[in-house]
Amino acid sequence: MGKIKSALLNNKIAQAGLLAVFVLVTAAAVYLMDKSVVAFLLLLGSLLLLYYTTFSNTVKWIVAGVLLIAVIPFATSGGPSYDAYMEVATQCGIYIAMALGLNIVVGFAGLLDMGFVAFFAVGAYTYGIFATGQANNFISGELFPLSGGTFWIFILIGGFMAGLFGILLGLPVLRVKGDYLAIVTLGFGEIIRIIFNNLEKPVNITNGAMGLSSIQPPNLFGFQFTFPHQFYFIVLAILGIVIFAVRRLEHSRLGRSWKAVRENEIAAQSMGIPLIRTKLTAFAIGASFSGMMGVVFAAKQTFIDPTSFTLVESTTILVMVVLGGMGSVPGVILGASLVTILHLQVLTEFTNWLNQLSMQGVINVPTALSPAKMQRLIFGLILILVAIFRPNGLISAKNRKVSLDRAHEQHSASSNAASLNK
């Protein structure tokens, strides 16, 4: 087995052939079957298989783009479950973007945030209030709802508003660390939810517990986005920008500052890293990613209410980060995908299968033991197993390796430039 693995790692042609066969078989299975959760999961697993190949990063990005833009949408379009598949893929994209935002705060900067869903709610309500007639309650002129064409602008506005709330959260908690920071951020998340739940008096801004309905769907040049397979491409575009930004930030001066603060704040400050600005930037950038996806969520669901933004959601996003590997971008993507698919497809389909067996009299499963009702227990068991066998996550974070020769060359070049300036 070891010889076969080493032979594959040293032979890129064999890797390409194996990956091509795997994609073709799984894509054909998804396309020809009415609904097959296993085939769909294996098709998505081709992205994980691609990650472990030895191709260059450029080749991996190109192949991943082809799979996500062309192969997966085409393969899922062959049967009646097209929108069901695309719904799962879209939800995966939304949660991956939020998990990557939280990974900046928790994984890179080491700031435990238990109220991250509050920024998701800020983005959703930012668009929902103005994309319905709700804004007419406090702005005169009957100018609302705004058309779906403003959705694209509100993606930026939602990100900005969430980033602003991230800074407002960061300012009073800069001196708080560890468990106390988790408690404060948890309280912040609950405060935001309660405010949205009660902000119907004296001026009705959020419509309280009734929520906001009939939110305008996105519109682009007269084309209206209403179905999951249409939102899939919106989420994919935003997710691509988020991943690119996170990857660039991770190895930037700011990213190294975050990691230094995470390891030791006193040492980082003694090296000249501004703690306040570094922490506030982490809160703001991470929150802005969540806010942008909040806008997409509101437009996709066309209805939002405070129950969509509970503590359970914050915990779920944190589970995604811990499960995948804190500080690891590919790990967080994998963790978010696994948790979302487990929640939306695997447990639901398993429950339906058990119900069919129960109706046929094969087995008798009590309703209280339904897997869909025991999701948190299953999540907890998964976390325990990961903590035991993979303490650093499914894909642990890796620091960029720089050869000594290259480091000496960069040092010599900087020294020569400094001497010339003198």
Side-chain angles (χ1 to χ4, degrees):
M1 192 67 181
K3 293 181 179 179
I4 297 175
K5 183 179 179 180
S6 61
L8 278 174
L9 290 175
N10 296 324
N11 192 336
K12 292 185 178 180
I13 296 177
Q15 293 177 34
L18 180 63
L19 179 64
V21 170
F22 185 83
V23 170
L24 287 173
V25 171
T26 54
V30 173
Y31 185 83
L32 296 174
M33 295 181 180
D34 288 342
K35 188 173 184 180
S36 174
V37 176
V38 175
F40 181 61
L41 294 180
L42 289 175
L43 179 58
L44 294 179
S46 62
L47 294 167
L48 182 61
L49 190 63
L50 173 65
Y51 171 76
Y52 283 109
T53 60
T54 57
F55 302 138
S56 65
N57 286 334
T58 303
V59 173
K60 288 182 179 179
W61 277 107
I62 293 173
V63 175
V66 172
L67 288 173
L68 291 169
I69 296 172
V71 175
I72 292 177
F74 175 76
T76 55
S77 65
S81 302
Y82 180 34
D83 280 329
Y85 287 136
M86 287 292 98
E87 174 68 20
V88 174
T90 303
Q91 292 283 2
C92 277
I94 291 174
Y95 278 103
I96 288 172
M98 286 198 293
L100 287 172
L102 183 59
N103 187 51
I104 290 177
V105 181
V106 177
F108 292 166
L111 305 170
L112 186 55
D113 189 347
M114 291 290 292
F116 196 71
V117 77
F119 308 122
F120 187 55
V122 168
Y125 271 94
T126 298
Y127 180 67
I129 289 171
F130 294 99
T132 61
Q134 192 65 29
N136 291 321
N137 293 326
F138 55 92
I139 299 177
S140 61
E142 295 296 326
L143 303 174
F144 305 95
L146 297 176
S147 67
T150 60
F151 165 81
W152 314 102
I153 301 174
F154 268 92
I155 291 177
L156 300 177
I157 296 174
F160 172 77
M161 291 299 297
L164 184 62
F165 271 79
I167 294 174
L168 294 176
L169 167 65
L171 284 173
V173 301
L174 288 176
R175 298 183 180 276
V176 183
K177 301 177 184 178
D179 299 337
Y180 296 100
L181 177 61
I183 294 171
V184 172
T185 53
L186 186 152
F188 174 80
E190 285 299 290
I191 288 170
I192 293 295
R193 183 185 65 81
I194 292 171
I195 288 175
F196 286 149
N197 192 56
N198 295 279
L199 204 56
E200 56 181 344
K201 300 174 184 178
V203 179
N204 189 358
I205 298 178
T206 63
N207 205 29
M210 298 297 292
L212 301 174
S213 59
S214 301
I215 299 173
Q216 293 293 311
N219 190 296
L220 183 64
F221 301 120
F223 180 79
Q224 198 170 68
F225 294 78
T226 54
F227 297 103
H229 67 268
Q230 297 168 338
F231 276 96
Y232 169 79
F233 292 100
I234 297 176
V235 170
L236 193 61
I238 299 175
L239 181 60
I241 296 171
V242 169
I243 293 175
F244 176 78
V246 172
R247 294 288 293 179
R248 297 290 292 180
L249 286 168
E250 180 182 9
H251 302 295
S252 66
R253 179 178 295 180
L254 179 60
R256 293 193 295 271
S257 299
W258 286 334
K259 293 178 182 179
V261 171
R262 177 190 66 193
E263 298 301 328
N264 192 315
E265 287 189 11
I266 298 175
Q269 194 170 20
S270 66
M271 293 297 291
I273 295 175
L275 290 182
I276 295 177
R277 188 174 66 188
T278 303
K279 289 183 178 181
L280 288 180
T281 306
F283 275 117
I285 295 177
S288 64
F289 294 155
S290 184
M292 288 192 294
M293 281 306 178
V295 174
V296 177
F297 176 80
K300 174 179 167 295
Q301 299 296 114
T302 68
F303 172 79
I304 55 172
D305 70 331
T307 60
S308 302
F309 314 105
T310 60
L311 174 62
V312 173
E313 294 297 324
S314 289
T315 307
T316 302
I317 301 169
L318 184 62
V319 165
M320 295 172 181
V321 176
V322 175
L323 179 66
M326 290 191 295
S328 170
V329 174
V332 170
I333 293 173
L334 177 61
S337 301
L338 286 178
V339 172
T340 306
I341 292 171
L342 181 69
H343 173 63
L344 292 179
Q345 264 205 325
V346 175
L347 291 178
T348 304
E349 292 297 324
F350 186 53
T351 302
N352 293 336
W353 179 66
L354 290 179
N355 289 336
Q356 289 180 358
L357 293 179
S358 180
M359 291 175 63
Q360 294 171 2
V362 178
I363 58 174
N364 185 18
V365 179
T367 307
L369 298 179
S370 171
K373 293 185 178 181
M374 303 179 69
Q375 290 177 17
R376 303 304 157 192
L377 173 62
I378 295 174
F379 288 164
L381 292 175
I382 291 174
L383 279 178
I384 292 172
L385 293 175
V386 170
I388 295 173
F389 298 104
R390 302 286 295 184
N392 295 322
L394 297 175
I395 302 178
S396 58
K398 297 178 182 178
N399 292 323
R400 175 180 285 182
K401 296 180 180 179
V402 180
S403 64
L404 290 175
D405 294 336
R406 183 180 176 186
H408 287 311
E409 290 176 2
Q410 291 178 348
H411 179 70
S412 300
S414 61
S415 299
N416 293 335
S419 61
L420 290 174
N421 290 333
K422 291 180 180 179

